[in-house]
Amino acid sequence: MCSMRSIWGLMLSASFPFCLTGAADGAEVRPGLVQEEFIYLSSSFPECHASTIVQSTAGTMIAAWFGGLREKDPTVGIWVSRQEDGKWSAPVEVANGNQPNGTRLPCWNPVLFQPKDGPLMLFFKVGPTPADWWGEMLVSNDDGKTWTERKKLPNGGIGPVKNKPVQLASGEILCPSSDEKGGPWVLHLETTSDNGKTWKRSAPLHTWEEGNAIQPSILTYPDGRLEMLARNKDGNGKLWQIWSNDGGKTWGKIAPTELPNPNSGTDAVTLKDGRQLLIYNHTNYTADPGVPKGREMINLAISQDGKDWKQIATLECTPKSEFSYPAIIQTQDGLVHAVYTWNRRLIKHLVFDPAAF
């Protein structure tokens, strides 16, 4: 009798003959998979996108995303679900775009982050478009049950634009961020040393002529180096990288990697054993029939040094579908948790044992 995972692999190869390419030895498309589920199955909002996940200091798993009638619609708010006794709670809207003048604007791209000391943080954006949105944040002192102290980030800050911050040994929180002011895309950092009370914003890390990049994630190395991986829209179909040799004070030149990117969001995490794990769409721009394109396939890749990457898993692969905007973390027990948009209708949650990678 075939296992469910074997059946799933057969379905993949039937959907796209190239879905298994690069996934381990071609036999196991999701190595180390421990759990697979949807965070919710029914909701009051028809569309969702841009999920984020975190483990609180107490060990609670919390997820958030934006949901509403459709992306950019004023009905879009920020929704949160908590995992209790192995089950996710019904989604609760914790923020919306209601303005003092009575109008309502859409919300965007929530990012959850648990600092080493201090309350759980939830960042999100408010505004009619990414060209003119601004950042706001909430905090929770009870593992995401309630949220307080909503405030707008100062000086036009947006906080982490899509992916989670990292916290240095000094306590400084580095938020990977970017601008897309209706044209050029440029990366920058926003930092706080007091859990969001005061902020500093870096200068742009590159020029848009060097590379149109947004939505970076940050990887860390024992020698203090940092690496950003970022989405790019230049049409070359590659993920871009930029390195710092001094803990984020200065950055080198932005350059393309060999990893494909169809102008879609990614995320990455530094594992406890020092390896780097990336979740992304292993596709680019193609008109070839039978070849996954755009956001029809979502994958994992791993690296020892952040330069040479190996695709190790195909998480989804279905024609005319969308699997996108992932987030990935490693929890206290060493397991890896990933969430992503599933056809704009649901949020998918996968758990892996990275020992299998």
Side-chain angles (χ1 to χ4, degrees):
M1 185 173 73
C2 292
S3 69
M4 287 302 296
R5 210 174 296 179
S6 297
I7 293 171
W8 194 89
L10 290 171
M11 290 172 63
L12 277 183
S13 58
S15 299
F16 273 133
F18 298 96
C19 277
L20 302 183
T21 301
D25 58 2
E28 174 58 89
V29 293
R30 298 193 291 181
L33 182 66
V34 173
Q35 185 178 7
E36 177 180 17
E37 63 184 348
F38 292 110
I39 289 182
Y40 64 89
L41 292 175
S42 62
S43 69
S44 61
F45 47 88
E47 284 198 8
C48 63
H49 197 36
S51 54
T52 176
I53 190 168
V54 75
Q55 184 178 40
S56 72
T57 302
T60 303
M61 299 301 301
I62 301 132
W65 58 90
F66 72 70
L69 184 61
R70 68 182 68 87
E71 185 174 353
K72 297 184 181 181
D73 191 84
T75 60
V76 173
I78 304 300
W79 296 77
V80 166
S81 179
R82 302 172 66 255
Q83 195 178 63
E84 297 176 322
D85 299 324
K87 296 181 180 180
W88 290 97
S89 63
V92 175
E93 187 179 54
V94 299
N96 58 47
N98 287 342
Q99 300 302 297
N101 64 3
T103 62
R104 178 165 169 161
L105 297 172
C107 294
W108 310 75
N109 296 11
V111 178
L112 287 161
F113 180 66
Q114 177 63 71
K116 297 172 185 175
D117 298 301
L120 180 64
M121 307 168 83
L122 173 58
F123 300 93
F124 59 99
K125 273 60 69 183
V126 180
T129 69
D132 45 20
W133 64 21
W134 63 84
E136 299 193 20
M137 64 175 289
L138 299 168
V139 299
S140 175
N141 293 292
D142 55 9
D143 288 348
K145 293 179 183 177
T146 61
W147 297 87
T148 62
E149 300 181 25
R150 177 175 176 173
K151 66 178 183 179
K152 188 174 181 179
L153 299 185
N155 303 317
I158 59 174
V161 67
K162 176 195 171 292
N163 297 324
K164 59 194 172 296
V166 298
Q167 190 166 15
L168 304 182
S170 65
E172 185 177 36
I173 296 172
L174 275 59
C175 297
S177 200
S178 56
D179 284 317
E180 43 187 311
K181 299 295 185 184
W185 288 4
V186 181
L187 304 180
H188 70 271
L189 279 175
E190 297 182 21
T191 61
T192 177
S193 297
D194 50 16
N195 288 344
K197 294 177 183 176
T198 60
W199 289 87
K200 295 180 181 178
R201 176 179 172 133
S202 75
L205 303 185
H206 59 94
T207 66
W208 67 268
E209 291 93 346
E210 292 173 317
N212 273 296
I214 57 167
Q215 299 175 353
S217 53
I218 302 178
L219 299 172
T220 62
Y221 294 84
D223 59 4
R225 289 180 302 139
L226 301 176
E227 177 186 12
M228 279 192 186
L229 294 173
R231 170 182 173 179
N232 179 269
K233 72 167 182 177
D234 280 334
N236 61 4
K238 300 293 184 182
L239 197 64
W240 283 56
Q241 64 182 350
I242 186 169
W243 290 79
S244 171
N245 293 320
D246 54 13
K249 295 181 179 66
T250 62
W251 293 82
K253 187 174 182 179
I254 194 167
T257 70
E258 291 304 311
L259 290 161
N261 180 249
N263 191 11
S264 184
T266 69
D267 194 19
V269 64
T270 300
L271 299 178
K272 296 176 182 179
D273 62 14
R275 293 180 296 169
Q276 311 292 0
L277 184 63
L278 170 71
I279 184 167
Y280 69 118
N281 302 101
H282 191 86
T283 60
N284 47 35
Y285 309 98
T286 178
D288 297 335
V291 177
K293 52 186 174 290
R295 301 176 180 185
E296 294 176 335
M297 180 169 72
I298 193 165
N299 309 80
L300 295 178
I302 201 158
S303 175
Q304 294 286 347
D305 59 7
K307 298 176 182 178
D308 296 319
W309 293 87
K310 179 183 179 182
Q311 183 196 347
I312 58 169
T314 299
L315 309 182
E316 306 269 7
C317 189
T318 305
K320 298 180 180 179
S321 296
E322 179 182 341
F323 313 108
S324 63
Y325 268 59
I328 195 164
I329 62 170
Q330 188 173 29
T331 47
Q332 297 165 10
D333 58 8
L335 295 177
V336 168
H337 292 248
V339 290
Y340 52 86
T341 299
W342 191 88
N343 286 313
R344 298 276 176 148
R345 293 169 42 214
L346 298 168
I347 301 299
K348 192 76 166 285
H349 173 227
L350 302 181
V351 184
F352 296 90
D353 181 352
F357 297 160

